[in-house]
Structures are given as structure tokens and as C-alpha cells.
Amino acid sequence: MTTDTTTQHQGIIPLPEKAARALVAIGAAATAISTFLAWTWTSEFPGDLTVTGYPGGLQVLALVGALLTLLFAAASYGIRGLRWLNPAGTDSPLLLLTLGLFGVVGYTVISITVELKGIVNLEPGAFVAAVAALAALVGALGLPVRRDNGDLTAPANAWETFRRAIAAAPARKPTRTLPSWVELLLIVVSFGIGLYVFTYGIDTAYAELFVGFLIVVAFGFAALTKSGLIARLTTLTTKHRNVTMAAAFTAAAAFPFTQNNDAYTSVGVNILVFATVALGLNVVVGLAGLLDLGYVAFLGVGAYTAALVSGSTSSALGIQFPFWAAALAGAGASLVFGVLIGAPTLRLRGDYLAIVTLGFGEIFRITMNNLNGTTGPDITNGPNGISNVPDLDMFGFNFGDSHDTGVNSLGRFGNYYLLMLVFTAIVVLVFRRAGESRIGRAWVAIREDETAATAMGINGFRLKLLAFALGASLAGLAGAVQAHVTYSVTPDQFEFAGTAPPNSAFLLAAVILGGMGTVSGPLIGASLLYLIPVKLQFMHDYQLLLFGLALILLMRFRPEGLVVNRRSKLEYHETDQLSVPAQLTLSDANVGTSKAGA
């Protein structure tokens, strides 16, 4: 017989539970209805919020947030057929969704007021939306905080109550076994939804819509995580790993076929280059635990090597390799530099190794500047770089031309996107195989405690050099494609902390933000760090400050990164596995110890 240790406290705002749930549902429904009303009278605000009868622009995002809130509100009532939405059985998803709904509505109302210079520019629909979203939030704040970990103490203040409401422990309900075909279908549908969300975000035409998109996605993803749906999906993807990888790359390959504007596809191919290099850095930082601050130099070595042998009119070598040979040359050159730099420096540890790698990155950039025929041999044209890198022509397929696919016209960047996706698949395969191998486990052992690993017979220096060389060669492979995508290679593309990624600071931030030691983490982190500055141009002068602030907040609230690694989660979060129960006194503990000794 088990006892129910679930306790119930009053919410942040003292409301009866039934009234709070009703207020959430009514507020979300009213917000959804308000999106079909005009929110402003003038079309000067982007998104056409002047129409009555259908939503537009930011109203669509508010409608999505309201419908999600209604669904979870219905699930919290225990309506049959919707309980699967909240397998954790807590009200945390409802609170997060109402926060996101109020955030996107409030942001829209404030943006209209500020950009059009006055609250008089708001139509009644905007006031209805603001009041309704606030009512839904108030209702969610009035929901009682449930705990199932035996904590019988009442929250000390409103902030503690709010923190507990967000971090409410899930009710551990048994997972229903599904047929295999249903599990596979869920995986495919999930990646289809992911493709649609990513396509919508990258296709946002103005900054206000992208900010609203970030608000809805951030709070929506947090709500799905707290509900337990993400955990169940993770279980399915782990069980069907090969199907998951195939579905992921199929969804990614479908992206350029959804675009009619090659400008958005150019963002996609640059994200892939950035993400692939970040995944290569993850071998060095995430698996082996080596802090490399000059990793972008290996990308530069691969890019310069491929540009020199590509047949460019500004190349000092004057030769043209087929692309496969140029790509292998770029990877090989980066591999050689990785060994040459790593051999004398990898006996250092911690900050000393970081400073040496940072110096290598700067030395590479300065050297490329000096090989201009004046201060050194004329090889790289100095700051002008190697330009006019020709488009690829493989098997009669010219990557610089547009090609009719029957669905759309696949432009130049769409062609290179698909090529880069093949290289990303290769890097993912190498990372997975290396991480799951005996060598990968040795890297993890070195990362956790090199002294203990050495005592167990692991050759730390040799394995660290292998990680350094492998990461460098993967970066060189991506650099070979980047040289053809950008038409030119210049030294300012490979700074430590330049104005645009990829650079060493952004690559390291992508690995930490996404989750060290994971496959999908650096891909997600790189996508966010590249896409946000591109869409929000006003952040250009403050992006390093904002990214630094984001990393500080991440280290405080989610140090393991966006994608959770089981080992990192256990390392960064306290557990009560070894703690003494609260009811056990010190004398009892001493008695138990003495008995055990006897």
C-alpha cells in the first residue's frame, strides 16, 4: 500500500481552484476571439492588424498561444482524449503558456504604442486581447502549487511559490505502450512540425514578428517540457535512433523546397556551415574536455586550401581540383595543422591550453593578412583574400544555376544547402560513431578526470591529440564548402569574436548553449546564435553583450544546455540520493554507522 504524499498549497494569487481554471479558459478563449478583431487602425504597423475577420502577423502567434492554452486547460480538467497532453500531471505547462500568451500580446500592444507614438492607435481588439491575456495569466497564478516529493513546508513568499509552480515535480504516471507503427508515426509527425516551425521562423519578414515568434516558441517548448511530452518523445527517438536520424535529415532536406526566396535559403546554408563546425568543436570540447578558443582557424585552413585549388583567378597556385579532391585537401590540411599545433601544446591543461589555442587563432589570421607579396610571399592576397571562387560543377550539375524541381525553383543557395547537408550528415555520423566507441568513452574519462584516466591505463596525450586532429579535419571539411558558398575567403572571416559567425567565440557559445557532448545540441545552439542576429538587426552592435548575458543566465538556470545530457544533468544538478533523510537525527545516523561497522 502506498500513501499519497501530494500536497496542495495556495497559488500566488489567492483564488478558488475552480475559479482559477475557469478564468484561464475564459481568458484564453477571449484572446483567441480578439485576434479576429482589428488591433490598430493604420497599416503603418507591419502585419496588417487592421482587418476584422481574420488574424494577421502577430495576431496569428497570439491565436496559436491562445489555442495551446485552451488545449492544456481542457487537459487539466481531465477531459477524455486530452490527458495525453499533460502526462506529468502538473499545472506548470499552463502557467508557462499563459506567460507566453501574455508576453506576445503585451509585446504587440507595446510595439504598436511605441512605433505609432501613442495609445490612441490601438483599436478595441487590442484592449480586449490585453485584458483577456492578463485574465488568463491571473487565473494560472491562482492555481494551487502541487508537490509530490513529500515537501510539506509552505512557500516562504510569492517568488518561492512562483518558482515552485514553474518547477513543480511531475506526477510519475506509467507510460502506455504504443504499437511500433504509432511510435514511428509520432517521430515523423514531430519532425514535420519542427520543419514547419523552423520554416515559419526563418521566413518572418520583419523583426517584430520574429520577436513574437521567439516568445511563443520559447514558452511553448518550456511548457511541453514540463508536461512530459518532450521526455516521452525523447524516449521514442532513443528507442528508434536510426529512424529518428533518417526523419531528421529528410525534414532538413525538405527545407529548400519550401522556399521561393533564395535569400532565406542562404540563411539556411550558413546555419548548416556554422552548425557543422560547432559539432566538430563538440568533439574537442564536449567529448574530450579541451577548451579550444582558436577553433575557427581550422575552418580557415580548410577554406583557404579549397580556394587555392579551386581554379580561382586570384589563386596564386593556378590549379583546379575536382571538388571531392578540394574537400579532402581542405580536411587534410586542417588535420595536419591540428597535429602540428596539438602535439606541442596538448600537454597543457585548462586555462593554459585555452590561451595557446587563442594565440594560434590570432596567428593564423595575422599570417593570412601578411601573405600579400609585401610583408611575405604572395599566396593569399593579404586582406583582399582569394576571390572569384567558381561555382561547383559536378556530374553536369552546376550549383550556381537555378533548377526547376517541379515544386519550386531551386536556386544557388538551395543547391549548396543540400550539398552542405550531406557533409553535415557525414559529420554527425563520425561524431556518433566516435562518441559511442571505446575511444569516445576514453575521451569522456579524460574530460571527467585525466589523472584518474591515466591511472587506469589511458594514454591521455595520444587520445587528446586524436580528438584535436579529428575536430580540425571536420572543420576543414566544412570550410571547403564555405569557400564556394561565399565566393571569397578573407582573413576577417576567421576572427575570435567578429561581428558575424562563424567565429571562435560564437562556436564555443553554440556548443555550451546547445549542450556539450550531444549531437543535436550544437546544431540547435548554432541555429539560434546565427538566426537571431540575422533577424534582429538592431542587436548587431550589442550582440556580444546580449550573448554574454544569455550565457550567464544559462549557467544559472540550465547549466547542462538546451539539450539535456544525462551525465551533465547529474553533474550540474543536486540529487538527494546520498542525503540523510530529514527525519533521521544525527544520533540515529551515528548509531547506524556503528552498527554497520560492527
Side-chain angles (χ1 to χ4, degrees), residues 21-22 24-26 67-87 89 91 94 173 176:
R21 295 191 185 280
V24 171
I26 294 173
L67 293 178
L68 284 175
T69 305
L70 279 174
L71 283 174
F72 275 86
S76 69
Y77 272 110
I79 294 179
R80 197 163 195 160
L82 292 178
R83 295 177 185 175
W84 61 271
L85 280 173
N86 191 10
D91 288 320
L94 207 55
K173 298 181 179 180
R176 180 182 175 185

Side-chain angles (χ1 to χ4, degrees), residues 157-240:
N157 48 47
W159 167 250
E160 180 65 16
T161 306
F162 178 78
R163 189 187 65 81
R164 287 191 180 188
I166 292 295
R172 291 162 179 79
K173 298 181 179 180
T175 303
R176 180 182 175 185
T177 303
L178 299 174
S180 296
W181 69 269
V182 176
E183 293 178 345
L184 298 179
L185 181 61
L186 288 175
I187 292 174
V188 172
V189 170
S190 299
F191 279 104
I193 295 174
L195 172 63
Y196 178 80
V197 172
F198 177 76
T199 302
Y200 184 91
I202 208 171
D203 289 349
T204 50
Y206 48 95
E208 292 86 354
L209 185 60
F210 185 73
V211 172
F213 167 79
L214 288 180
I215 294 173
V216 172
V217 170
F219 282 99
F221 181 79
L224 293 178
T225 301
K226 287 297 181 181
S227 71
L229 285 177
I230 298 299
R232 290 197 172 183
L233 179 62
T234 302
T235 302
L236 295 181
T237 56
T238 303
K239 180 180 178 181
H240 305 282

Side-chain angles (χ1 to χ4, degrees), residues 175-492:
T175 303
R176 180 182 175 185
T177 303
L178 299 174
S180 296
W181 69 269
V182 176
E183 293 178 345
L184 298 179
L185 181 61
L186 288 175
I187 292 174
V188 172
V189 170
S190 299
F191 279 104
I193 295 174
L195 172 63
Y196 178 80
V197 172
F198 177 76
T199 302
Y200 184 91
I202 208 171
D203 289 349
T204 50
Y206 48 95
E208 292 86 354
L209 185 60
F210 185 73
V211 172
F213 167 79
L214 288 180
I215 294 173
V216 172
V217 170
F219 282 99
F221 181 79
L224 293 178
T225 301
K226 287 297 181 181
S227 71
L229 285 177
I230 298 299
R232 290 197 172 183
L233 179 62
T234 302
T235 302
L236 295 181
T237 56
T238 303
K239 180 180 178 181
H240 305 282
R241 184 174 296 182
N242 292 330
V243 175
T244 300
M245 297 298 293
F249 281 101
T250 300
F255 167 72
F257 299 99
T258 66
Q259 302 297 307
N260 293 319
N261 188 345
D262 211 28
Y264 293 141
T265 314
S266 68
V267 176
V269 69
N270 283 294
I271 287 176
L272 273 185
V273 172
F274 189 18
T276 304
V277 180
L279 193 58
L281 178 61
N282 200 25
V283 174
V284 181
V285 177
L287 293 182
L290 306 174
L291 184 56
D292 188 349
L293 299 182
Y295 187 75
V296 75
F298 297 121
L299 175 70
V301 171
Y304 267 102
T305 302
L308 286 170
V309 300
S310 64
S312 169
T313 56
S314 59
S315 171
L317 301 183
I319 58 177
Q320 184 172 2
F321 286 1
F323 175 69
W324 64 268
L328 290 179
S334 296
L335 174 64
V336 170
F337 270 89
V339 173
L340 291 177
I341 299 301
T345 61
L346 285 179
R347 300 187 187 278
L348 302 174
R349 298 186 185 181
D351 299 339
Y352 300 101
L353 176 62
I355 294 301
V356 170
T357 56
L358 175 62
F360 165 64
E362 289 301 297
I363 290 172
F364 168 78
R365 182 179 60 83
I366 294 172
T367 302
M368 294 302 103
N369 262 317
N370 289 336
L371 297 180
N372 54 8
T374 302
T375 57
D378 187 10
I379 299 176
T380 65
N381 296 323
N384 295 324
I386 302 174
S387 57
N388 300 321
V389 178
D391 281 312
L392 297 177
D393 194 337
M394 299 171 59
F395 308 108
F397 185 90
N398 192 306
F399 282 76
D401 297 337
S402 296
H403 302 274
D404 188 11
T405 63
V407 178
N408 68 343
S409 180
L410 198 63
R412 176 180 183 272
F413 289 110
N415 300 328
Y416 281 109
Y417 175 91
L418 295 176
L419 176 64
M420 191 63 223
L421 186 62
V422 174
F423 282 87
T424 304
I426 294 173
V427 173
V428 169
L429 179 63
V430 171
F431 182 87
R432 279 189 57 195
R433 296 299 183 187
E436 296 172 356
S437 66
R438 180 175 59 85
I439 293 176
R441 292 193 294 271
W443 283 337
V444 173
I446 293 172
R447 183 192 68 192
E448 298 299 324
D449 192 332
E450 184 175 352
T451 303
T454 303
M456 297 302 295
I458 295 176
N459 189 330
F461 173 74
R462 181 170 60 85
L463 288 174
K464 288 193 295 183
L465 185 61
L466 179 60
F468 214 69
L470 177 61
S473 60
L474 295 179
L477 202 62
V481 181
Q482 187 196 29
H484 291 84
V485 172
T486 58
Y487 280 130
S488 62
V489 182
T490 56
D492 58 3

Side-chain angles (χ1 to χ4, degrees), residues 572-589:
Y572 289 120
H573 293 279
E574 296 181 359
T575 63
D576 57 356
Q577 295 177 0
L578 302 179
S579 62
V580 179
Q583 292 83 1
L584 187 65
T585 63
L586 182 60
S587 60
D588 294 333

